[in-house]
Amino acid sequence: MALIDRWIAEEERRQAERRRGEEMRPALPDWLIQYGLNRRNVDAVHTGDCWAVAKSGRCRPATRQQALDALCRQVPACVHCRPDTVLGLLG
């Protein structure tokens, strides 16, 4: 019986740690700017939850205004998340 109680206590501890980790995780940014391999060229604009940038490591958080400015400067919008549509810049 003591062994089962220890297992239960350990699992409850793990669940509490998981919950604390999720609560402490910073919120996703609303917009992302993807930079080129040389880190100077801007390659694309993404929404903050775009699946295509999940592993790129080349994106930085941006404000709404920075995303708008980049799109107005002809930086391509991601074809997957379409930030230009979300921002109302079609056309």
Side-chain angles (χ1 to χ4, degrees):
M1 195 67 161
L3 182 59
I4 294 173
D5 289 341
R6 282 198 307 267
W7 286 343
I8 291 170
E10 183 63 24
E11 186 56 33
E12 288 173 345
R13 185 189 60 76
R14 280 192 214 115
Q15 288 177 355
E17 283 179 8
R18 241 179 264 124
R19 277 193 304 274
R20 277 193 304 277
E22 290 171 3
E23 290 168 0
M24 295 178 69
R25 183 176 297 134
L28 291 175
D30 290 333
W31 310 102
L32 295 166
I33 304 288
Q34 179 178 335
Y35 291 89
L37 294 175
N38 67 3
R39 304 276 187 201
R40 285 190 299 268
N41 296 338
V42 178
D43 284 349
V45 178
H46 299 271
T47 60
D49 59 352
C50 181
W51 64 268
V53 299
K55 294 185 180 180
S56 82
R58 298 184 331 200
C59 291
R60 300 284 178 262
T63 63
R64 183 180 195 280
Q65 189 59 50
Q66 289 170 326
L68 281 167
D69 291 346
L71 291 168
C72 289
R73 290 192 319 266
Q74 304 302 312
V75 172
C78 172
V79 298
H80 304 291
C81 64
R82 301 308 310 190
D84 51 345
T85 304
V86 176
L87 290 166
L89 290 179
L90 285 178

